DNA sequence: ATATAAACGCAACTGGAGTTGTCTTTGGAG
DNA sequence: CTCCAAAGACAACTCCAGTTGCGTTTATAT
């Protein structure tokens, strides 16, 4: 007999409540202020239960990231690689700028810096995002806008990296112009066959 | 009378001991494992003293960053902007790869994500580094290798950003080829007048 | 409908980070 | 040399994140 668990009852409700509470706490206090105890209280689930199922703060983060991974990501299709790339980088910028989703996204990045588990989760999450975004580059190659051998993932990386750098490393403000410039730089390099 | 404090005595020794201990702890346990208590014990300074002078872990980080800021940074001068840029990006990569200095540097980045104080310190630190690195670009302009209106700081940023992105956001391995490619992409964009 | 094992709730406990009041040391001015 | 204010050492305390043992609920298989 296959002891397949089908979580449709109490466990599922607990899981959802904790996930929601984690996201809410993350939005309010950021990663540094995330506590198992606070998540437990907010979710209405007893803290020992949270400790047993999620272990610690890192577990909560990893689980929340898995949830976020399933949300669809609007890939732009403006007709030109120039517009598509620009929109992707803008989307990254505004995503972190958003007063609601921004802190949560930033918390994920912060968490990944201190927890190998969270780092793996974020890596997987971004790999999925990159794979979707890379499609934009492949379309451009098909249209003849970019040379054949271009590394789609690398183009995306080079385009968005300066935005992340300003946000999380140098801690400078990021304008839309900054985002557009980064997209343009990546595009130029891609066209020249450097990427 | 100018009540100028000249810290050449006990206070200075305490300060140095704490700074050293902070760096050592950071190297061993990273930012997440940094504790005022551990720093106090390792330095031989009583923990109440550390708490009163540095306040908390963030204060220790900010102070250590100020110390690191004074260390000189070897600006390459290969004769061409291509070589200079490449060496700068390689230097960033190897800096975080170094088993001794790497964890400390990574800890600074992690700390800046959770503490506005540390963020300011890191911002200042990197601003100084960037200003030095930008010289390489200005030399290139003087030699006619790059167009006049190029934004020196932006060239540096675009060049090193992909390395930081891989290290601290997507958590992918970073090869020397990756570093060289990022430098080449930034250079191409700069030559084309995009940066 | 009922049995049962997993999941959850609960209260009490543990340990360590951070705080406070007070005493002691020390560097430097006169 | 003497004095004294600033800085440090010390011990005792508080508080909260995380743990443990055990009783209770509940989803699911039969």
């Amino acid at each position: 007999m296959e002891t397949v668990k089908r979580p449709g009852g109490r466990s599922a409700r607990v899981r959802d409540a904790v996930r929601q509470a984690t996201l809410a706490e993350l939005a309010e206090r950021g990663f540094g202020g995330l506590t198992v105890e606070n998540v437990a209280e907010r979710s209405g689930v007893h803290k020992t239960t949270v400790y047993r199922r999620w272990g610690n703060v890192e577990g909560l983060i990893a689980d929340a990231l898995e949830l976020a991974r399933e949300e669809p990501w609007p890939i732009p299709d403006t007709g030109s690689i120039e517009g598509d790339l620009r929109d992707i980088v803008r989307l990254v910028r505004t995503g972190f700028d958003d007063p609601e989703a921004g802190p949560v996204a930033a918390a994920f990045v912060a968490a990944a810096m201190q927890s190998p588990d969270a780092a793996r989760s974020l890596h997987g999450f971004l790999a999925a995002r990159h794979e979707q975004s890379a499609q934009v580059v492949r379309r451009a190659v098909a249209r003849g806008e970019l040379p054949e051998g271009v590394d789609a993932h690398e183009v995306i990386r080079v385009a968005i990296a300066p935005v992340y750098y300003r946000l999380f490393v140098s801690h400078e403000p990021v304008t839309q112009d900054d985002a557009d410039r980064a997209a343009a730089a990546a595009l130029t390099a891609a066209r020249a066959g450097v990427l």
Side-chain angles (χ1 to χ4, degrees), chain A residues 106-118:
Chain A
F108 285 152
V109 179
M113 274 195 164
Q114 289 180 47
S115 153
D117 269 5

Side-chain angles (χ1 to χ4, degrees), chain A residues 7 11-24 26 31 34 39 43 45 49-50 52-71 104 107-108 111-112 115-122 125:
Chain A
S11 294
R13 281 197 304 275
V14 164
R15 179 183 169 113
D16 285 346
V18 169
R19 276 179 163 180
Q20 283 303 113
T22 300
L23 292 178
L26 235 38
F31 172 68
L34 189 69
V39 170
S43 66
V45 175
T49 300
V50 180
R52 279 201 255 263
R53 279 191 61 175
W54 284 269
N56 52 28
V57 171
E58 302 177 15
L60 290 171
I61 294 274
D63 188 43
L65 251 172
E66 217 153 306
L67 177 65
R69 189 173 178 171
E70 292 163 14
E71 287 189 4
V104 179
F108 285 152
S115 153
D117 269 5
R120 263 187 296 275
S121 297
L122 184 63
F125 174 82

Side-chain angles (χ1 to χ4, degrees), chain A residues 4-163:
Chain A
V4 180
K5 300 171 187 175
R6 40 187 164 125
R10 184 165 59 160
S11 294
R13 281 197 304 275
V14 164
R15 179 183 169 113
D16 285 346
V18 169
R19 276 179 163 180
Q20 283 303 113
T22 300
L23 292 178
E25 285 289 312
L26 235 38
E28 276 184 18
R29 321 194 188 209
F31 172 68
L34 189 69
T35 299
V36 175
E37 202 148 3
N38 289 338
V39 170
E41 189 173 4
R42 180 188 282 253
S43 66
V45 175
H46 204 85
K47 75 169 180 174
T48 49
T49 300
V50 180
Y51 272 115
R52 279 201 255 263
R53 279 191 61 175
W54 284 269
N56 52 28
V57 171
E58 302 177 15
L60 290 171
I61 294 274
D63 188 43
L65 251 172
E66 217 153 306
L67 177 65
R69 189 173 178 171
E70 292 163 14
E71 287 189 4
W73 175 248
I75 312 169
D77 189 1
T78 64
S80 75
I81 180 63
E82 188 167 356
D84 286 354
L85 247 194
R86 188 201 56 203
D87 282 6
I88 286 176
V89 181
R90 282 186 181 178
L91 222 52
V92 170
R93 185 185 92 87
T94 56
F96 287 104
D97 198 38
D98 182 70
E100 194 168 335
V104 179
F108 285 152
V109 179
M113 274 195 164
Q114 289 180 47
S115 153
D117 269 5
R120 263 187 296 275
S121 297
L122 184 63
H123 178 80
F125 174 82
L126 289 173
R129 284 273 188 283
H130 274 60
E131 183 50 36
Q132 309 223 342
S133 304
Q135 195 183 332
V136 155
V137 177
R138 287 192 219 99
R139 279 201 306 247
V141 173
R143 283 192 302 254
E145 288 186 295
L146 289 179
E148 281 283 341
V150 70
D151 183 337
H153 286 263
E154 185 69 7
V155 175
I156 301 298
R157 240 193 307 260
V158 170
I160 65 179
V163 171

